[in-house]
Amino acid sequence: MHYPAWYVPFLTSPMLIAIIAILHVLVSHYAVGGGLFLAVETRYAYRTNNKEYLAYLKDHAWFFILITVVYGAITGVGIWWTIGLASPLATETLIHTFVFGWAMEYVFFVLEIISAFIFFYYWGRLEPKVHQAMAWIYAFSAWMSLVLITGITAFMLNSGGWVENKNFWVGFFNPQFVPQVIARTGGALLLSSLYVYLHAAFRVKDTALRDLIASRSTLPALVGAACVTLGGIGWYIFLPESAKAALAAASSLNIFMVLIFVLTIAVFAMLYLGPLRHPNWVSPGFALLLFGMGLAVFSAGEFVREAVRKPYIIYNVVLSNQILPEEVATLREKGYLEGGTWTSAWVRARYPNVVRSQQIDEKALLALPEPDQRELGKVLFQYHCSSCHATTEGYSAVAQLLRGWTPEMIKNLVQNPEKFHFFMPPWAGTPEEAELLTKYLVSITPPRPGGMR
Amino acid sequence: MTPTELIGPPSPLGYPAPYWFLVTFKVLGFTLHMVPMHLWFVGILLAMIFAQRGDVHAQRWSARLMRQMPVIIALGINFGIVPLLFTQVAYYRVFYPATILMAWPWFLIIMFLTFAYYGVYIYVTGLKDGAKLTTLKRAAGWVSAILFVAISFLFSNGFSLMTHLSAWPELWQETSVAGAPLGTGLNTSDPTLWPRWLMMFGLALTTVAAYTVFDAGVFARRESPEYRRWAANFALKFYTVGLIWFAVMGSWYLSTWPADARDQMLSSPLIILTALAALGPGLPWLLIFFQRRQITQALAILTGLAQFGVLALNAISRQIVQNIELGKFLDVTAEPVNLQLSPLIVFLVLFVAGLGVVVWMVGKVWQAERQPA
Ligand code: HEM
């Protein structure tokens, strides 16, 4: 490993990314779809000269700015903050590959915030045409930022032919790109309608206006839901084989997929029965329920998207434990401790007597006192396994998974994690190091639960 | 353990553009970041004090600044993205380890910023026509002011730890479990940290003063002549205080530099840059001094530009110092370049087109402002 492994007890550091990412997508999609909503509806309100609707749209624009410009922007930066801390090698790789993709996205961010503020703060002070133009500039920029970031996130799931030629455009237009752009655009339309229902249900007292809002937002919601479904199918088709297998194998992912499926149908049904057929149903309670279901679908979807990449963080490019696939062979030969920048410095500082002619002597490791061997096993765990497993308690805690295992079984797993489960990265150390890790794992493995016949 | 042992291998991908290109955008981006950042770093604090204990004009000043603050913050965060992006391209081998060693404080920035930003919005609702600044709203403003100061301290920690590699081995060994950092460190053992942070505070004071003149001359045309006179007076006073503060902390900062950094920055040819960065604030000060009786639009714009120049000089010299400090451990200019020409060109084209759209939008706002309300 090139970088230090940030130890987050209980949760594991990549889980922090998942949490922030979920918190972010719930708003970032609204930032795109809501922009389109404001552009289309402002145009409609001007054209029909509907003063009440315009007043509502201004109120909505304020809510929109409060949510997207503050929370959306900060959580977006927050994802970037956490990936650098939890997955530095992947971040390094993405940034060296796509820095100009981000730079392009940045240009659109600038346009977004400036147009959004002008749209809101100069409401009524610009000619209607110019005012609408601001909304369209916003909507277009926001959608472009979605397209640009999707090229990069989709790359992580299926890097396609990039591995061969390392070409920016090959990476950007990867097999997942089109399906995910469709799905995310749909998600933006759907989610923003749910935000609109929620906001209108609480803020609009006039029932005629509320019905108008509800019915006008239904078409985008339904189109959005259809795009999500269509994009989702494409997403599945263009998944790498390993991700499809992971989806089928992991029980938690199965549950999430069923949840997504059921909730999507429920959202469809509620949209049809509610806003489309009975706009007057859109009460605060109804809107909250619909909104909550939408958020649940999105969160589950985002979690699945993050989870199916295992054992990679960037498919075929960077492994979850922050090493490159091409490094595995050398590490097996030289040793994981020796090959890692920080692990090797650690061993040299703590156990200078295992270093012979500038190299860590693998045999000498096993001559250390038992507590030291276990400690080094723990170092190996931190740097080889802790990106997916907590230690004794917490997220996928290894001690709980190993409960009741014999030392031979544990050693077998340590030497062949990728054969036990294809979604674990291959063992990238020497046999001696496998022994150290085994000793550590044996020391924390609880016995088989008592009381069973 | 020597610090160089802790620097990982270079990325096999190489730099996507030559180093000079990356560093130009980094420095330009940071200069842009500094303008709004200074306004919230010191400006909110002053605005809170003045809202409570100022005369009418001071309160007016406070309200003006705070009303603009949501937009200022949005722009400032946005401008911060540019240097952060290019820092991660060119300084990744030291940036990631340093921030991982202080992962939790670094992560806290995001939490603090969320609260600080919403705090400002809550405060501003109290400034609307007919609204009242309730105790709760005032408290929200104070919390924001303090959080922003705290964030600035965390930033100074992060960016100084990035070059203070000699502190890494000990910090790491003290705050880790089996070699994995807990991420609870800070760079407080670095003698450059405090003066660096305090110097930034002084510089921020000068930016607030310069901005006051700019605002009074360009945006505040509907304010009373008394307010504008007050603003001129305030700006001169606070620029002077900021200048002295900057000079004192700057000298302290300089005295804490490693010997080679001092030697290089104080001998030819870099001495010219050091001198310019040190004396630069004299120009806006003079411009403000000339306007002490009357702020004019042309001079106000000039003051803003001059202050921007001061910040740019500062950004350039701190970049050079950063490279000298790092030079002992890592030569960031030495990495192979794997030029990504077509994405770079697409970016530059979009950049220029985007600027065009921004100019168009601002032009429309300008027109709207000229019309009577
Ligand atoms: C999330 C939004 C922000 C981003 C992306 C950001 C980014 C950056 C970057 C990249 C630098 C270093 C530039 C360089 O060395 O070239 C920097 C410096 C700095 N930022 Fe920000 N910033 C943000 C928000 C803030 C906030 C809210 C504050 C609070 C006052 C702040 C205060 C500072 C300070 C004081 C420095 C100078 C640190 C030093 O080197 O001593 N920034 N920022």
Side-chain angles (χ1 to χ4, degrees):
Chain A
M1 234 170 129
H2 307 189
Y3 292 109
W6 179 26
Y7 174 53
V8 176
F10 197 76
L11 211 58
T12 74
S13 60
M15 279 306 277
L16 280 179
I17 305 179
I19 294 170
I20 308 271
I22 289 172
L23 291 175
H24 178 67
V25 293
L26 299 179
V27 161
S28 64
H29 285 86
Y30 171 50
V32 177
L36 203 63
F37 162 79
L38 287 170
V40 172
E41 297 306 303
T42 312
R43 199 174 112 106
Y44 171 81
Y46 273 124
R47 217 183 45 220
T48 53
N49 203 9
N50 188 335
K51 296 264 169 5
E52 288 78 37
Y53 197 21
L54 266 179
Y56 169 72
L57 289 170
K58 182 173 182 195
D59 192 43
H60 192 98
W62 175 237
F63 171 73
F64 179 77
I65 284 185
L66 271 187
I67 301 275
T68 60
V69 174
V70 185
Y71 175 95
I74 299 178
T75 49
V77 176
I79 298 185
W80 189 18
W81 234 250
T82 31
I83 59 174
L85 296 172
S87 309
L89 185 66
T91 313
E92 169 200 307
T93 306
L94 285 177
I95 287 203
H96 282 92
T97 308
F98 291 118
V99 64
F100 293 118
W102 267 300
M104 291 174 214
E105 190 191 11
Y106 175 76
V107 172
F108 290 105
F109 282 159
V110 175
L111 293 180
E112 272 175 61
I113 58 169
I114 295 181
S115 58
F117 279 127
I118 296 178
F119 178 71
F120 176 73
Y121 282 112
Y122 286 84
W123 199 289
R125 292 172 64 189
L126 298 170
E127 292 163 48
K129 261 218 176 78
V130 175
H131 189 219
Q132 290 174 52
M134 296 297 167
W136 285 104
I137 292 174
Y138 177 88
F140 176 73
S141 306
W143 185 72
M144 279 306 291
S145 67
L146 175 148
V147 170
L148 285 161
I149 196 62
T150 300
I152 300 171
T153 54
F155 171 84
M156 295 169 77
L157 184 51
N158 190 346
S159 54
W162 181 86
V163 179
E164 280 101 62
N165 55 24
K166 310 266 195 287
N167 179 293
F168 176 94
W169 301 109
V170 172
F172 187 83
F173 294 111
N174 58 75
Q176 279 283 329
F177 174 72
V178 174
Q180 289 206 17
V181 168
I182 296 174
R184 288 194 181 282
T185 305
L189 291 173
L190 174 59
L191 201 60
S192 67
S193 289
L194 304 188
Y195 273 94
V196 172
Y197 298 145
L198 188 68
H199 181 258
F202 279 94
R203 299 283 296 182
V204 181
K205 299 284 169 270
D206 174 40
T207 45
L209 178 60
R210 205 163 66 199
D211 290 358
L212 174 76
I213 297 170
S215 61
R216 281 198 59 86
S217 278
T218 310
L219 184 65
L222 288 172
V223 171
C227 288
V228 172
T229 314
L230 187 74
I233 294 170
W235 170 81
Y236 184 80
I237 293 174
F238 291 102
L239 277 181
E241 217 180 302
S242 63
K244 282 187 188 152
L247 208 53
S251 53
S252 60
L253 296 188
N254 288 338
I255 296 171
F256 275 133
M257 288 307 281
V258 172
L259 198 73
I260 293 174
F261 195 67
V262 172
L263 284 175
T264 309
I265 292 178
V267 167
F268 255 118
M270 283 176 72
L271 282 173
Y272 178 79
L273 290 173
L276 193 66
R277 300 298 301 268
H278 310 97
N280 57 335
W281 281 17
V282 185
S283 62
F286 182 90
L288 258 180
L289 184 65
L290 195 56
F291 184 71
M293 283 164 48
L295 293 196
V297 174
F298 265 76
S299 308
E302 197 60 23
F303 189 84
V304 169
R305 187 185 71 82
E306 293 274 330
V308 295
R309 287 199 305 257
K310 287 180 179 135
Y312 299 103
I313 192 130
I314 305 173
Y315 181 68
N316 274 345
V317 181
V318 182
L319 287 158
S320 287
N321 49 1
Q322 300 303 300
I323 57 176
L324 305 170
E326 56 267 31
E327 289 174 334
V328 171
T330 348
L331 291 172
R332 275 178 174 241
E333 205 175 299
K334 263 200 339 196
Y336 197 75
L337 294 170
E338 172 73 38
T341 305
W342 289 67
T343 44
S344 117
W346 185 263
V347 175
R348 275 157 224 263
R350 294 271 161 124
Y351 309 99
N353 46 347
V354 302
V355 180
R356 310 265 149 82
S357 55
Q358 311 287 318
Q359 291 271 320
I360 297 173
D361 179 358
E362 299 294 312
K363 299 277 175 303
L365 290 175
L366 292 178
L368 287 169
E370 287 291 324
D372 291 339
Q373 291 192 36
R374 284 199 296 274
E375 181 67 13
L376 281 171
K378 189 167 182 183
V379 173
L380 282 161
F381 181 83
Q382 296 279 37
Y383 279 81
H384 202 308
C385 321
S386 77
S387 53
C388 304
H389 295 292
T391 48
T392 49
E393 270 110 32
Y395 179 71
S396 203
V398 76
Q400 305 304 328
L401 291 167
L402 287 172
R403 186 181 286 275
W405 287 35
T406 65
E408 295 70 45
M409 289 164 75
I410 295 180
K411 179 142 186 212
N412 192 7
L413 174 121
V414 164
Q415 289 183 316
N416 307 287
E418 79 281 16
K419 298 199 184 95
F420 272 72
H421 289 300
F422 66 88
F423 41 75
M424 283 202 255
W427 172 244
T430 60
E432 291 80 3
E433 287 175 331
E435 187 69 37
L436 297 177
L437 179 52
T438 305
K439 285 187 176 169
Y440 166 66
L441 291 174
V442 168
S443 77
I444 60 166
T445 295
R448 195 179 138 80
M452 296 195 299
R453 298 216 305 165
Chain B
M1 192 185 300
T2 58
T4 30
E5 275 179 74
L6 299 178
I7 299 183
S11 166
L13 298 170
Y15 284 162
Y19 175 77
W20 64 262
F21 183 94
L22 304 172
V23 82
T24 305
F25 270 87
K26 177 176 182 280
V27 170
L28 178 70
F30 183 56
T31 309
L32 284 169
H33 174 53
M34 259 196 282
V35 179
M37 181 262 276
H38 284 172
L39 297 182
W40 69 59
F41 181 7
V42 176
I44 299 183
L45 209 58
L46 287 180
M48 289 307 113
I49 296 172
F50 281 179
Q52 224 136 352
R53 344 210 105 184
D55 59 16
V56 262
H57 300 308
Q59 294 200 356
R60 188 83 207 124
W61 177 86
S62 165
R64 282 192 66 82
L65 184 68
M66 289 308 284
R67 278 213 194 100
Q68 298 172 12
M69 200 47 79
V71 179
I72 294 175
I73 298 174
L75 287 175
I77 293 177
N78 189 275
F79 292 155
I81 293 175
V82 184
L84 194 57
L85 189 59
F86 288 99
T87 299
Q88 293 192 28
V89 178
Y91 294 79
Y92 61 103
R93 289 160 81 189
V94 288
F95 174 81
Y96 296 125
T99 47
I100 290 170
L101 288 172
M102 52 174 285
W104 282 112
W106 190 246
F107 185 68
L108 218 55
I109 289 178
I110 298 296
M111 303 291 137
F112 281 3
L113 187 54
T114 311
F115 288 107
Y117 201 165
Y118 276 120
V120 166
Y121 269 103
I122 294 174
Y123 183 86
V124 171
T125 58
L127 298 174
K128 287 215 179 104
D129 296 333
K132 216 178 133 256
L133 269 180
T134 57
T135 318
L136 186 83
K137 288 176 185 169
R138 280 182 200 276
W142 275 105
V143 169
S144 296
I146 292 163
L147 286 177
F148 275 119
V149 173
I151 295 174
S152 70
F153 183 65
L154 297 176
F155 266 105
S156 286
N157 267 276
F159 281 93
S160 58
L161 186 57
M162 189 175 111
T163 55
H164 189 222
L165 271 74
S166 36
W168 289 10
E170 209 177 305
L171 194 60
W172 176 36
Q173 305 211 39
E174 278 168 5
T175 59
S176 59
V177 172
L182 282 164
T184 51
L186 274 178
N187 192 30
T188 41
S189 72
D190 184 345
T192 70
L193 171 70
W194 294 98
R196 171 191 189 122
W197 180 57
L198 290 169
M199 185 181 81
M200 190 58 96
F201 189 92
L203 199 58
L205 256 176
T206 66
T207 306
V208 170
Y211 182 75
T212 301
V213 169
F214 183 83
D215 176 65
V218 180
F219 298 144
R221 274 172 287 106
R222 293 199 191 98
E223 297 289 353
S224 65
E226 290 78 32
Y227 170 77
R228 274 128 69 71
R229 256 200 302 284
W230 179 90
N233 193 316
F234 162 85
L236 185 61
K237 256 197 254 160
F238 274 78
Y239 207 101
T240 311
V241 174
L243 201 62
I244 296 169
W245 187 315
F246 176 68
V248 172
M249 295 306 162
S251 317
W252 179 17
Y253 181 47
L254 206 139
S255 76
T256 59
W257 285 355
D260 50 342
R262 217 168 27 229
D263 288 348
Q264 287 190 48
M265 293 307 286
L266 294 183
S267 57
S268 175
L270 287 175
I271 179 85
I272 301 173
L273 181 66
T274 311
L276 280 176
L279 300 177
L283 180 61
W285 184 86
L286 272 179
L287 286 166
I288 293 174
F289 182 75
F290 288 139
Q291 295 172 87
R292 67 192 179 283
R293 294 204 209 298
Q294 170 136 41
I295 295 176
T296 68
Q297 187 175 34
L299 280 182
I301 292 176
L302 217 56
T303 310
L305 288 176
Q307 184 66 15
F308 190 78
V310 167
L311 300 185
L313 280 171
N314 216 272
I316 295 170
S317 10
R318 69 179 240 136
Q319 187 56 60
I320 293 173
V321 174
Q322 195 175 54
N323 284 6
I324 296 174
E325 284 175 327
L326 262 184
K328 284 197 286 289
F329 312 105
L330 176 70
D331 181 2
V332 287
T333 62
E335 288 205 18
V337 176
N338 226 330
L339 184 65
Q340 296 185 6
L341 192 60
S342 56
L344 190 154
I345 291 173
V346 175
F347 159 62
L348 288 178
V349 169
L350 281 174
F351 186 73
V352 173
L355 271 184
V357 177
V358 170
V359 169
W360 181 83
M361 290 193 287
V362 172
K364 290 294 169 193
V365 166
W366 196 254
Q367 275 174 11
E369 284 288 340
R370 301 267 132 176
Q371 270 150 23

